[in-house]
Amino acid sequence: MFKVVGVIGAGQMGSGIAHVFAQHAYQVLLYDISQAQLDKALKSIEQNLERQARKGVIFTTSIEGIMARITATKELKDFAQCDLVVEAATENENLKFELFKKLDEIVAEEAILASNTSSISITRIAACTRRPDKVIGMHFMNPVPIMQLVEVIRGLGTSEETFQAIGALVARLGKEMAVANDYPGFIVNRVLIPMINEAIFALYEGIATAEDIDKGMKLGTNQPMGPLVLADFIGLDTVLAICNVLHDGFKDPKYRPCPLLVNMVNAGYLGKKSGKGFYDYQG
């Protein structure tokens, strides 16, 4: 069904999504407002493909063809040729609303618009368009080429036809689908973010060091990494944004973000991407 896939946002998630679609023979248009970010994304995708080749996941000879299927653009109007658009912009509600309004004007009536949002209401995003039946959530996990899950979120107006088309697409990408209804945080972040926030409270209240909190959760509950280092990898600004979506959406104080998290974001300590979070990444 899908031939040309548009991906909005050339950050870590957007580049990973573009990588996976191109690897599975789809033509990809990768959009970002920054040429530097687009250049960085293309370089990162090629490096990740080379890493896959060294591990025997793909053939080295396939890399050139995969990269040739990805076209970078700074013009949203180029998305007129897309059958599917996956938005992976910053987790900002107003930004996503504006993007979907523009996309609704640009792409064909039959095209599906998906959001990689990790917490923002698909129903509200869909309401910005004239095609709520063709709007759906496709929440990929990071790093996209490695993680097997795609959380698919049905908005209140999402049609069965759209859902079935995206379900089939997820399978063609070699991934597993978990289906969520449209409530704040969906499945993964509804469970994960409160756990991370509680770990931050444990640090804030002096219960233990960051290292011991992570060691306790990693070795005591068999998680691949502790919640604080995971927060650094996600980005503390993203963790805070999702905390706020949960808190605003449910009006329940149990979702209130830890003051330490708020202060760290205000200070620009965003985790690995800024070089400093609960751990130092500048060395």
Side-chain angles (χ1 to χ4, degrees):
M1 176 183 178
F2 304 111
K3 293 180 180 178
V4 183
V5 177
V7 179
I8 294 183
Q12 192 171 29
M13 291 303 297
S15 62
I17 293 167
H19 172 150
V20 168
F21 274 107
Q23 186 179 332
H24 287 83
Y26 293 94
Q27 294 293 326
V28 178
L29 279 175
L30 179 59
Y31 167 88
D32 202 282
I33 59 173
S34 166
Q35 185 61 50
Q37 188 61 48
L38 287 168
D39 294 341
K40 180 181 177 182
L42 292 173
K43 183 178 179 181
S44 174
I45 292 168
E46 189 165 16
Q47 289 173 339
N48 288 332
L49 287 167
E50 290 168 351
R51 188 176 296 113
Q52 286 181 307
R54 288 194 296 271
K55 293 180 178 180
V57 176
I58 62 172
F59 293 111
T60 302
T61 52
S62 69
I63 293 175
E64 185 177 350
I66 293 170
M67 291 302 301
R69 287 194 284 272
I70 304 173
T71 302
T73 180
K74 292 173 64 181
E75 300 291 339
L76 267 185
K77 68 177 187 297
D78 291 344
F79 279 34
Q81 61 186 294
C82 295
D83 312 296
L84 168 70
V85 177
V86 181
E87 170 272 316
T90 304
E91 195 72 350
N92 177 290
E93 191 174 70
N94 291 330
L95 173 62
K96 291 183 189 295
F97 291 169
E98 189 60 33
L99 280 169
F100 273 77
K101 286 178 185 175
K102 291 179 180 177
L103 289 169
D104 192 42
E105 298 289 337
I106 293 168
V107 303
E109 289 182 8
E110 63 273 14
I112 291 175
L113 303 178
S115 177
N116 182 60
T117 179
S118 55
S119 61
I120 295 169
S121 168
I122 298 300
T123 301
R124 294 190 68 198
I125 291 173
C128 297
T129 75
R130 297 164 297 177
R131 64 182 87 200
D133 59 315
K134 292 183 171 62
V135 178
I136 195 165
M138 287 186 78
H139 179 208
F140 290 83
M141 304 295 123
N142 188 35
V144 181
I146 295 172
M147 299 293 281
Q148 289 300 299
L149 182 69
V150 179
E151 190 177 30
V152 174
I153 303 98
R154 303 182 70 155
L156 200 60
T158 304
S159 70
E160 182 64 21
E161 182 182 7
T162 296
F163 171 70
Q164 292 296 335
I166 294 301
L169 174 63
V170 170
R172 286 196 295 272
L173 295 175
K175 297 192 179 294
E176 296 286 337
M177 177 173 68
V179 183
N181 288 318
D182 188 21
Y183 295 99
F186 317 132
I187 301 168
V188 174
N189 283 320
R190 172 76 180 269
V191 177
L192 175 64
I193 295 301
M195 182 196 75
I196 290 174
N197 193 46
E198 194 62 29
I200 299 170
F201 266 112
L203 179 64
Y204 173 64
E205 293 169 5
I207 293 172
T209 64
E211 290 81 2
D212 280 342
I213 291 167
D214 278 346
K215 183 188 294 184
M217 294 304 294
K218 182 178 177 181
L219 301 182
T221 64
N222 202 29
Q223 297 182 31
M225 65 176 71
L228 298 178
V229 72
L230 177 56
D232 277 352
F233 275 74
I234 293 170
L236 301 192
D237 52 341
T238 300
V239 172
L240 178 58
I242 300 170
C243 277
N244 286 330
V245 167
L246 292 170
H247 191 224
D248 293 344
F250 290 113
K251 310 300 183 188
D252 189 328
K254 75 177 181 179
Y255 296 113
R256 74 197 187 283
C258 178
L260 175 59
L261 173 61
V262 175
N263 278 347
M264 290 181 72
V265 171
N266 287 339
Y269 301 157
L270 307 182
K272 189 175 181 182
K273 63 185 174 185
S274 70
K276 183 174 177 60
F278 295 107
Y279 299 91
D280 194 334
Y281 301 93
Q282 295 171 340

